Amino acid sequence: MVLTTILSISLISVTLAGMIIIAEHLLNNYGDCSIDINKGEKILQVKGGSSLLSSLAGQGIFIPSACGGKATCGLCKVQVLEGAGPLLPTEAPYLDQAERTAGYRLSCQVKVKQNLQILVPSELFNIQAYKTKIVKIDELTHDIKGLRLQLLEPDRIRFKAGQYVQLYTKPYGKVKDSVFRAYSMASVPSDDQAVELIVRQVPEGICTTYVHQALNEGDEVRISGPYGDFYLRGNCEALIMIAGGSGLAPIRSLILDILEKGLPYKMTFFFGAVSLRDLYYLDFFKDLEDRYDQFRFVPALSKPDPADNWHGETGLITEVVARFVEDGSGKEAYLCGSPGMIQACLSVLQKKGITEDKIFFDKF
Ligand SMILES: Cc1cc2nc3c(=O)[nH]c(=O)nc-3n(C[C@H](O)[C@H](O)[C@H](O)COP(=O)(O)OP(=O)(O)OC[C@H]3O[C@@H](n4cnc5c(N)ncnc54)[C@H](O)[C@@H]3O)c2cc1C
């Protein structure tokens, strides 16, 4: 009797499991789907079932994304004219009413289940995937590393100072998936056979732990790019640049590019850190200050350690900016750092008379 019951239960379980597998296969088997880009400019054939973001990437079309498809950065917006299905709650926070009306969606959240019609800016077709080799890793601070990636294939990149690439991890340790994250170029665009990145370790962060603990000189890494609209506009006489932590990366690229091209802007670069152990590239920027009259470097510590023996500026970077900048007219501001730092700086700069359309930033 007991044996019959066990056998019956086992049979029912096996049958149910089989039905679930068949149902899953039928429900998730969307077959081949087409993605029509820019009304016939390109038509892709893809296998249904993946996100629009990864389906496009699989065909060499890279939509900007910093979070790797987690719906936390809101960068991968694409205008979908047909075939996307209803808006998901995960997308709602990133799309205002005008964008929703125009059909914008987060491409990481849209699953390709049928034929789609989308619109993307044509310049995205210039974004490429690159095979690179790490040729140098520098310990810049206790939690920030500088990397130099030699391009292998293709062997040159064209980018604007301030833009970023996506870096793809390989499985390591207990992390079985490959993810990608955004990192701004710290190098100058004329150095086009390599890119330099500055990566701050985020505790428990998947990509930064990969970079800090698994990557070694000589390793190959995949990147794609360039992405982003954080680059010089230059409709002004002077520039204010503000960075915190690894936010120094795109600002360094901008400053080097401007000096190298001999553009006449006066520049003041405010670099904020907590204590001396968080500052890096001090000598590098002091040397630029000595060599170029148009460039001023203002490093500042918010909580210098007594042992730091710090004689420079102290206070939050916003306080230092407020002390130094008298009048914002004729100036543009370029900011890069944590969302909190950017928000605080926006209000200080606006009080100094720099209007919102003259302030550009990348939040890390
Ligand atoms: C346009 C752009 C350019 C960027 N450029 C750079 C750059 O040049 N250098 C650089 O170091 N970073 C840069 N970032 C941030 C970078 O893309 C990653 O978000 C960051 O390195 C964390 O990735 P992770 O995989 O290690 O962490 P994840 O695994 O994604 O996150 C782990 C945990 O940490 C939290 N977290 C994520 N990011 C941060 C953070 N920055 N600070 C504190 N907590 C966080 C998450 O909420 C999560 O709980 C840039 C971001 C953007 C949007």
Side-chain angles (χ1 to χ4, degrees):
M1 178 65 184
V2 175
L3 196 63
T4 318
T5 314
I6 291 173
L7 276 175
S8 311
I9 291 173
S10 304
L11 193 65
I12 292 169
S13 309
V14 169
T15 312
L16 278 175
M19 284 166 69
I20 289 170
I21 289 168
I22 292 168
E24 251 188 0
H25 178 73
L26 290 176
L27 285 174
N28 288 329
N29 187 2
Y30 302 104
D32 290 336
C33 304
S34 74
I35 305 177
D36 176 330
I37 306 176
N38 298 352
K39 305 203 168 153
E41 191 175 350
K42 270 184 202 275
I43 298 180
L44 312 177
Q45 296 300 328
V46 302
K47 215 169 153 34
S50 301
S51 73
L52 176 58
L53 179 72
S54 60
S55 300
L56 290 172
Q59 302 272 332
I61 295 175
F62 299 98
I63 306 295
S65 164
C67 68
K70 293 186 294 186
T72 54
C73 74
L75 287 178
C76 65
K77 289 175 194 174
V78 163
Q79 207 173 352
V80 186
L81 303 180
E82 218 174 276
L87 189 80
L88 300 179
T90 43
E91 299 172 76
Y94 300 98
L95 299 165
D96 62 27
Q97 197 47 53
E99 288 172 320
R100 290 180 199 195
T101 310
Y104 278 95
R105 302 290 300 267
L106 292 194
S107 60
C108 69
Q109 299 299 294
V110 173
K111 200 168 177 179
V112 180
K113 298 177 179 174
Q114 55 188 309
N115 296 344
L116 286 165
Q117 277 193 39
I118 66 171
L119 299 179
V120 301
S122 293
E123 59 260 26
L124 289 189
F125 298 144
N126 297 330
I127 296 169
Q128 295 188 60
Y130 293 84
K131 215 164 100 176
T132 77
K133 184 172 159 182
I134 306 284
V135 287
K136 199 158 191 293
I137 301 182
D138 289 320
E139 309 274 341
L140 296 176
T141 73
H142 60 104
D143 65 352
I144 296 181
K145 286 195 181 192
L147 313 177
R148 183 168 172 87
L149 292 74
Q150 192 69 39
L151 303 180
L152 301 178
E153 205 188 315
D155 60 3
R156 275 172 206 274
I157 185 168
R158 281 182 59 162
F159 66 95
K160 292 183 192 159
Q163 288 192 298
Y164 68 93
V165 290
Q166 283 171 183
L167 183 144
Y168 299 76
T169 67
K170 291 182 184 153
Y172 67 95
K174 289 184 184 153
V175 181
K176 302 291 172 230
D177 294 328
S178 168
V179 302
F180 61 87
R181 301 282 186 264
Y183 295 99
S184 308
M185 257 79 74
S187 43
V188 66
S190 60
D191 180 12
D192 63 356
Q193 294 180 41
V195 293
E196 289 179 4
L197 309 179
I198 292 175
V199 179
R200 186 179 69 85
Q201 168 82 68
V202 168
E204 315 282 317
I206 297 178
C207 187
T208 54
T209 304
Y210 169 75
V211 168
H212 277 252
Q213 290 174 23
L215 260 194
N216 292 302
E217 288 177 359
D219 288 352
E220 288 194 4
V221 174
R222 223 158 48 85
I223 59 169
S224 66
Y227 301 94
D229 53 12
F230 183 67
Y231 50 79
L232 180 71
R233 305 312 196 272
N235 301 313
C236 60
E237 290 153 16
L239 304 169
I240 295 170
M241 281 133 159
I242 310 173
S246 53
L248 176 139
I251 301 288
R252 179 178 187 265
S253 182
L254 279 165
I255 292 169
L256 291 178
D257 192 41
I258 289 168
L259 294 176
E260 188 182 89
K261 288 179 174 155
L263 302 178
Y265 307 105
K266 284 201 166 303
M267 293 183 274
T268 309
F269 172 31
F270 297 93
F271 183 35
V274 178
S275 66
L276 196 58
R277 72 181 201 135
D278 305 302
L279 280 183
Y280 58 103
Y281 277 139
L282 266 188
D283 291 340
F284 179 88
F285 285 107
K286 279 184 181 157
D287 175 57
L288 287 184
E289 191 178 43
D290 288 344
R291 289 196 289 133
Y292 294 91
D293 285 346
Q294 71 192 95
F295 178 64
R296 184 170 191 190
F297 177 46
V298 185
L301 297 180
S302 58
K303 276 194 204 143
D305 193 280
D308 289 346
N309 197 19
W310 178 249
H311 299 293
E313 294 300 318
T314 52
L316 292 173
I317 199 66
T318 41
E319 296 161 359
V320 179
V321 171
R323 284 204 294 272
F324 272 70
V325 179
E326 281 173 10
D327 176 13
S329 56
K331 297 189 172 71
E332 284 180 1
Y334 292 82
L335 284 51
C336 205
S338 68
M341 184 209 95
I342 304 275
Q343 205 50 45
C345 288
L346 282 176
S347 92
V348 170
L349 292 169
Q350 283 168 0
K351 276 189 200 138
K352 296 286 178 181
I354 308 186
T355 49
E356 224 176 308
D357 60 323
K358 300 269 182 210
I359 305 176
F360 307 93
F361 54 83
D362 253 354
K363 286 182 191 170
F364 284 8

